[in-house]
Amino acid sequence: MTAHILLVEDEVKLARFVELELSYEGHRVSVFHDGIAGLGAVREEKPDLVILDWMLPGISGLEICRRLRTTGDKVPIILLTAKDEVTDRVAGLDAGADDYVVKPFSVEELLARVRAHLRRTQESNADLIQFADLSLNRSSRQVYRGNRAIELTAKEFDLLEYLLVHPQQVITRDRILEQVWGYDFMGDSNIIEVYIRYLRLKLEANNESRLIQTVRGIGYVLRE
Ligand code: CA
């Protein structure tokens, strides 16, 4: 499992050492030595994982962490620090860091943490279905349009999930009825129109573009 890892560490020798170790594991590594460049690079390069030193010139690793989380960035973050006070650990985790490695650390420990976080991301990505700026997580049952969380009822969720699994395909109303409501559904088939309307209202609440299109006389398609 190789990944793009972004390292922000102002001790040049340590940064080089960690970079070499991560590269040896097969990762692509971007290294920055100050906080401002590091923060900009995380936003620009969208790495799979970030390793941040706490004390950095410019802005601290803690502040980078806070700013990324404020803007909804969920990239896994491991903080490196010489501090070993319990309150510092709490501050790091409060700022949104996923993990914490105290200097001096063994590189094996850091590599093990990196592996663990990458594995976790990969597992949760398997449950994630995306289309345009819409994302749906099958295990946590969370739905987002960009950074906006959307609350759906169980049936709305099932319907949206079905459409998301078949993007760009015209799906007939009968098929939706069979797959989402079940073969033995005996109610009014207008139920689909009603639920599509609910979904559109929720998905377009901030005037976002329409993603669920009507194909007149046939059914629906998820298309931009
Ligand atoms: Ca430092």
Side-chain angles (χ1 to χ4, degrees), residues 54-141:
W54 184 311
M55 298 299 281
L56 288 168
I59 51 175
S60 71
L62 198 68
E63 184 57 26
I64 293 176
C65 210
R66 215 172 270 139
R67 292 194 194 179
L68 288 172
R69 296 309 188 222
T70 306
T71 53
D73 197 317
K74 296 181 182 73
V75 63
I77 298 175
I78 299 175
L79 268 183
L80 301 180
T81 180
K83 300 179 181 183
D84 194 16
E85 302 286 324
V86 171
T87 50
D88 290 333
R89 287 171 187 260
V90 172
L93 298 172
D94 276 351
D98 297 277
D99 212 340
Y100 194 105
V101 178
V102 178
K103 289 177 178 176
F105 53 85
S106 79
V107 74
E108 285 75 18
E109 183 192 355
L110 178 64
L111 294 175
R113 305 273 182 104
V114 166
R115 275 194 299 273
H117 287 284
L118 290 177
R119 196 159 48 231
R120 210 170 295 166
T121 319
Q122 209 177 40
E123 280 163 8
S124 67
N125 281 353
D127 293 321
L128 195 69
I129 325 175
Q130 288 173 295
F131 182 80
D133 60 349
L134 182 63
S135 65
L136 175 147
N137 190 309
R138 293 166 124 164
S139 65
S140 65
R141 295 184 76 85

Side-chain angles (χ1 to χ4, degrees), residues 134-170:
L134 182 63
S135 65
L136 175 147
N137 190 309
R138 293 166 124 164
S139 65
S140 65
R141 295 184 76 85
Q142 285 171 310
V143 176
Y144 282 90
R145 185 98 202 241
N147 286 329
R148 183 168 70 86
I150 299 172
E151 294 284 331
L152 297 181
T153 64
K155 215 42 152 184
E156 289 166 356
F157 183 93
D158 293 346
L159 175 57
L160 183 62
E161 180 184 10
Y162 188 71
L163 293 170
L164 271 166
V165 173
H166 304 90
Q168 318 277 11
Q169 296 173 33
V170 177

